Amino acid sequence: MFSDADGSSQIILSEPTGSTAEVLLFGGQVTSWKNARREELLYMSSKSVRKPPKGIRGGIPMCFPQIGNLGLLEQHGFARNRLWSVDKDPSPLPPATNQSTVDLISKSTEEDLKTWPHRFELRLRISVSAGKLTLVPRVRNVDSKAFSFMFALRNYFSVSDISEVRVEGLETLDYLDNLQQGDRYTEQADAITFDGEIDRVYLSTPTKIAIIDHEKKRTIVLRKEGMVDAVVWNPWDKKAKALPDLGDDDYKTMLCVDSAAIETQIVLKPFEEWKGRQELSTVSSSYCSGQLDPRRVLHGLT
């Protein structure tokens, strides 16, 4: 189902229990994911600009073929600034058989080749099911020479109060701290909590990470394959005020926890394809009253 939002083609996905997702063809970007109770699970900035050449602040933008300024291209690469198309032939994935899945495609343009001289096809399958949002990104090398790239799905989660949120699953891991020139440290805390700006790349992370929102009594579980790193980002007050497409106080109700491949770039030989997978799901939790231990969620015991 298509509609227009700020002049951009938009796809609405829905499933029988009431979960929905909204996808823009600009950037191939999920801009909304609501559960059966119509609660919004993703953060979108009210100051986002939804037209080229700016990327959209919020939802789930795709970063390709570079992350941040770790390269010669524009911030986070160009995939999030391109107009994608609906993919009529998502081979070798099985064809989508219901209305809650859409396949998108973006191919290298002559303009891309001037700044990144590699021919590629970028595909994304987005599926909504009861309580779940699944993204399957794929990159195919259609060039005659190998290339390498970084990749990330930047998940902007909507949270009640950043000071009340915990992230579990990254304890004891090494991380690169982008606030300290990318220096390497080891996480000492038993969970990540927030009282100031954070911008870290956690390395060799597990396939499952839990984002626990005490106030909303909700845990978002992020499962990922093919993306071994995880980025945790919140700009806090000073940087939020400096970002033109972010509200001054928006940092209080958002948190980015990304599936990523950054430290070790993905290498594709001619005509090879890489495939990743990310599944987001929610678990109702009353962690404060001890009814659900997030560690049980993290280790698959619920």
Side-chain angles (χ1 to χ4, degrees):
M1 176 178 168
F2 289 84
S3 65
D4 278 326
D6 301 337
S8 299
S9 295
Q10 187 179 34
I11 300 161
I12 313 294
L13 302 177
S14 61
E15 57 81 37
T17 70
S19 297
T20 61
E22 297 176 11
V23 183
L24 283 185
L25 289 184
F26 175 56
Q29 186 162 334
V30 178
T31 54
S32 171
W33 172 40
K34 293 179 181 176
N35 61 19
R37 293 189 297 277
R38 308 302 298 151
E39 295 170 326
E40 179 59 68
L41 302 167
L42 300 179
Y43 160 83
M44 276 296 298
S45 172
S46 59
K47 293 187 172 183
S48 280
V49 179
R50 294 194 175 198
K51 53 182 128 179
K54 282 286 287 180
I56 300 169
R57 174 80 65 188
I60 309 178
M62 181 186 292
C63 305
F64 170 89
Q66 81 175 40
I67 308 299
N69 57 6
L70 299 174
L72 302 176
L73 302 174
E74 61 202 87
Q75 177 90 352
H76 293 314
F78 45 66
R80 66 187 188 136
N81 297 333
R82 296 290 182 269
L83 191 62
W84 291 52
S85 305
V86 174
D87 188 2
K88 304 294 187 184
D89 179 22
S91 176
L93 295 184
T97 56
N98 57 54
Q99 292 183 329
S100 60
T101 295
V102 66
D103 290 287
L104 303 180
I105 186 169
S106 177
K107 299 181 180 181
S108 50
T109 64
E110 294 305 315
E111 198 64 30
D112 295 333
L113 292 169
K114 292 176 185 175
T115 54
W116 199 67
H118 309 289
R119 296 186 184 275
F120 64 87
E121 292 176 353
L122 192 54
R123 287 179 164 85
L124 180 63
R125 170 167 285 190
I126 304 160
S127 304
V128 173
S129 56
K132 288 183 183 176
L133 176 67
T134 304
L135 282 75
V136 180
R138 292 184 287 153
V139 180
R140 177 173 286 276
N141 181 350
V142 293
D143 214 326
S144 58
K145 57 185 182 295
F147 63 73
S148 60
F149 61 93
M150 296 179 230
F151 189 90
L153 294 172
R154 164 139 283 198
N155 302 301
Y156 282 84
F157 294 114
S158 174
V159 299
S160 54
D161 179 349
I162 188 65
S163 300
E164 298 296 322
V165 172
R166 293 165 63 92
V167 176
E168 296 194 357
L170 303 175
E171 49 277 4
T172 75
L173 299 182
D174 284 0
Y175 64 87
L176 308 177
D177 192 336
N178 290 325
L179 302 181
Q180 302 292 335
Q181 289 75 50
D183 288 350
R184 192 180 187 112
Y185 298 91
T186 300
E187 182 57 64
Q188 303 294 328
D190 61 357
I192 300 170
T193 55
F194 303 92
D195 58 7
E197 183 182 357
I198 187 170
D199 188 356
R200 298 175 181 172
V201 181
Y202 285 84
L203 308 172
S204 301
T205 61
T207 57
K208 195 186 294 187
I209 300 167
I211 300 102
I212 300 130
D213 191 331
H214 296 301
E215 202 169 302
K216 288 191 175 178
K217 295 182 170 58
R218 181 172 71 207
T219 296
I220 295 176
V221 181
L222 185 162
R223 294 176 176 85
K224 58 189 179 64
E225 299 169 15
M227 296 168 278
V228 299
D229 303 323
V231 179
V232 179
W233 179 72
N234 183 287
W236 220 251
D237 53 349
K238 287 183 181 176
K239 189 161 284 184
K241 288 185 172 77
L243 293 168
D245 58 351
L246 189 71
D248 288 357
D249 293 324
D250 283 14
Y251 74 92
K252 296 176 181 177
T253 55
M254 59 147 282
L255 173 64
C256 286
V257 181
D258 310 342
S259 301
I262 298 176
E263 186 187 36
T264 301
Q265 294 195 24
I266 298 162
V267 179
L268 285 183
K269 296 175 183 174
F271 305 106
E272 278 189 339
E273 182 177 86
W274 166 84
K275 183 174 80 169
R277 180 182 174 88
Q278 173 181 279
E279 179 189 284
L280 302 176
S281 59
T282 58
V283 180
S284 296
S285 60
S286 300
Y287 180 50
C288 297
S289 59
Q291 292 177 12
L292 178 69
D293 184 346
R295 288 178 181 81
R296 293 175 64 83
V297 174
L298 209 55
H299 299 296
L301 301 175
T302 60

